[in-house]
Amino acid sequence: MKRSAGESEQQAKKQKLLEEIGESWLPYLTPRDAEFHQLWKTKYSKLILRTSDTVPKELHQVVQDAFLTLQKHGCLFQDLIRIKGKDCLTPVSRILIGNPGCTYKYLNTRLFTVPWPVEGSKIKYCNPEMFDACKALMKLNDYLYNETVQALKEQSLSETKETKDAAVTNKEQDFSTYVEGERTILEDQSSSYVPRTDCINLKSKTPYNLTLLNYMDPLQMPYLKQEPYFGMGNMAVSWHHDENLVERSTVAVYSYSCKDPVINRNQLQDSRGRDPAVWHAGLKIAWDIKTPGLALPLHPGDCYFMLDDLNMTHQHCVLAGWPPRFSSTHRVAECSRGTLDYIFRQCETALQNLQADSESVALSLKSLEVMIVKEVEGIHNEVEFEWLRQFWFQGKRYRKCTDWWFEPMAKLEEFWKKMEIMTSLVLSEVGKEECTMEQRNEIVSCFLPFLTERQELRKEWTARCQSQLAKTLPDEQKPECHPYWKNDDSNMPLPYDLEEVIAKLQALLQ
């Protein structure tokens, strides 16, 4: 889990931006400023707000009850994430709820959905209240989905009208140029326009498959980061683009801050900028120091939507107020490599190269072709480090909600054990005298990098599980180093520590 090129690039951009700013602050606007709505319309038009009074009262009630149920049962967790090669706890407590078998990965951490009760599913929740909470959030998901479709349609119609109005005022523009220009604008993938064809297909493009719930009580936090560019004050969540989403998909957020504490407004030292007692969503154009930022106040029950490519072209943060706050952030997670169905298909592909002798029941490999060996070992690492170790690193936290994930993870571990056998069979084959030098070198050369990566990642995951920070977590959240076994375990075909195995393979190449 080395620091990616993307992370290094982001850090370099941030450092350059801070250098350009120097000791001054960039400007930003709030509703107190006369230019606020004009800036919103021209530079942040894909940010849509639905105030709480437009949301059905009965939906507010069940959703807010769901938040409190999750909190009461201890189902909101600080994630032990990995940033710049170091572990740290998120200041925000979270839980992922969504389609059964889905996962969502952020900051090198794969979260596993507590499944909401989709039709036809058989989910055993730890208590009836948990069922009601997940059902309420699924109801909210449906509501936000419908609102998103409507918002995208309105955005498309509004931009189309503006285009036509602009064309009418341009008397020198002939009709054919106008038609072509309008079509080009509407189809421009980098513009703020939603193509007409999208209006027809909106329903198929914007279903949310999960929600990441967040909770924070700022007054209980020993320290909150200060917003570094605009001087916006305390941040609950730093500037970022949401990761691992379907391209150009909308993010919808339901915000619920508890009632404000008694505040003496006269004690506020600075009347400029945002009200520090109120939660805000902060937005800025990515790596732009010319356009003012935007701080949008969020009152209990407000919903906001980041439409289309806003999450790609802009960055957002969450600015802390004073009262505790819950939020439900609904996303179209990019799940092509993040569902149980996907990883089970991967296992099926890998295990097709394993066969059992009909008489002796001895296991052997069907093929030693380099491409097949590479594919199997790649899947082997994927199962171990993207699924098994990610799941158990989060301890037994999911049992507080449901036991849904434990059966498929046990099945996945059985597949992984067979892949351990397959690795040992490759080692056996390349060690045989009848294996030619050319064949041995070819197999070992492609095989060795996967074992080296496996050894390095096992060391890293073991160290993370034993870190002082990990030991501070509650018992049910303490990371488990699993799978783990002693090197002399007769039930396993290979040792946990692969150092000697790797050394022997390297010797074969000399």
Side-chain angles (χ1 to χ4, degrees), residues 12-45:
K13 286 182 177 180
K14 179 179 177 181
Q15 191 59 41
K16 182 180 179 182
L17 187 59
L18 289 171
E19 289 173 0
E20 290 179 357
I21 296 171
E23 296 183 1
S24 60
W25 295 117
L26 294 174
Y28 76 97
L29 302 183
T30 74
R32 298 178 183 181
D33 299 296
E35 307 90 347
F36 175 80
H37 290 285
Q38 182 63 21
L39 177 69
W40 187 351
K41 181 180 179 182
T42 55
K43 298 297 183 180
Y44 299 93
S45 62

Side-chain angles (χ1 to χ4, degrees), residues 197-427:
T197 52
D198 279 4
C199 290
I200 300 171
N201 298 319
L202 286 176
K203 287 188 178 291
S204 65
K205 290 190 176 183
T206 57
Y208 301 114
N209 48 17
L210 50 81
T211 177
L212 183 60
L213 269 66
N214 305 288
Y215 172 77
M216 177 190 274
D217 182 351
L219 299 183
Q220 298 301 314
M221 299 299 297
Y223 169 76
L224 286 174
K225 284 185 178 180
Q226 295 297 298
E227 193 285 312
Y229 307 122
F230 302 91
M232 292 177 172
N234 290 336
M235 292 192 301
V237 181
S238 301
W239 291 107
H240 68 288
H241 304 277
D242 285 333
E243 298 181 72
N244 293 321
L245 305 181
V246 170
E247 189 175 357
R248 300 180 74 99
S249 62
T250 296
V251 177
V253 181
Y254 178 94
S255 179
Y256 173 57
S257 50
C258 305
K259 292 182 179 179
D260 287 352
V262 177
I263 298 168
N264 183 351
R265 298 293 174 182
N266 294 326
Q267 292 179 352
L268 299 180
Q269 295 180 351
D270 191 350
S271 61
R272 297 170 297 170
R274 77 175 186 98
D275 185 339
V278 176
W279 286 80
H280 289 66
L283 279 96
K284 68 182 181 72
I285 299 175
W287 315 118
D288 178 356
I289 64 172
K290 296 180 180 179
T291 305
L294 198 76
L296 180 70
L298 299 173
H299 300 290
D302 284 352
C303 301
Y304 65 94
F305 303 80
M306 294 184 286
L307 300 180
D308 193 38
D309 64 349
L310 185 71
N311 181 56
M312 300 164 60
T313 59
H314 294 60
Q315 291 175 307
H316 59 281
C317 69
V318 181
L319 302 163
W322 292 355
R325 173 184 178 261
F326 296 90
S327 68
S328 184
T329 63
H330 297 248
R331 306 149 189 257
V332 190
E334 206 297 294
C335 282
S336 61
R337 298 172 65 89
T339 65
L340 270 179
D341 286 343
Y342 159 78
I343 198 63
F344 280 152
R345 287 196 304 271
Q346 288 287 89
C347 291
E348 183 179 350
T349 297
L351 296 177
Q352 285 177 354
N353 198 41
L354 185 65
Q355 63 184 356
D357 185 277
S358 56
E359 294 181 2
S360 65
V361 198
L363 295 172
S364 62
L365 299 175
K366 293 180 182 178
S367 172
L368 281 173
E369 289 184 26
V370 169
M371 292 306 297
I372 293 177
V373 171
K374 287 178 68 174
E375 181 179 40
V376 171
E377 294 305 317
I379 294 171
H380 186 163
N381 282 0
E382 183 178 18
V383 171
E384 181 170 339
F385 302 108
E386 287 295 330
W387 290 83
L388 293 177
R389 295 197 184 279
Q390 287 277 4
F391 182 78
W392 290 107
F393 186 71
Q394 295 165 52
K396 295 184 176 67
R397 60 157 73 173
Y398 295 102
R399 287 199 189 278
K400 282 181 164 281
C401 309
T402 175
D403 61 1
W404 192 90
W405 275 99
F406 289 88
E407 184 177 333
M409 294 309 289
K411 184 177 180 182
L412 202 56
E413 187 170 339
E414 288 301 315
F415 291 151
W416 167 82
K417 285 180 179 178
K418 290 182 179 179
M419 290 181 221
E420 283 284 302
I421 293 172
M422 295 174 78
T423 299
S424 71
L425 290 171
V426 174
L427 291 168

Side-chain angles (χ1 to χ4, degrees), residues 171-219:
K171 296 180 180 179
E172 295 181 359
Q173 183 180 34
D174 62 49
F175 180 75
S176 61
T177 304
Y178 159 67
V179 172
E180 178 60 26
E182 181 187 32
R183 184 187 66 79
T184 302
I185 291 172
L186 287 173
E187 292 179 356
D188 183 0
Q189 295 302 299
S190 65
S191 76
S192 61
Y193 301 96
V194 180
R196 286 192 180 106
T197 52
D198 279 4
C199 290
I200 300 171
N201 298 319
L202 286 176
K203 287 188 178 291
S204 65
K205 290 190 176 183
T206 57
Y208 301 114
N209 48 17
L210 50 81
T211 177
L212 183 60
L213 269 66
N214 305 288
Y215 172 77
M216 177 190 274
D217 182 351
L219 299 183

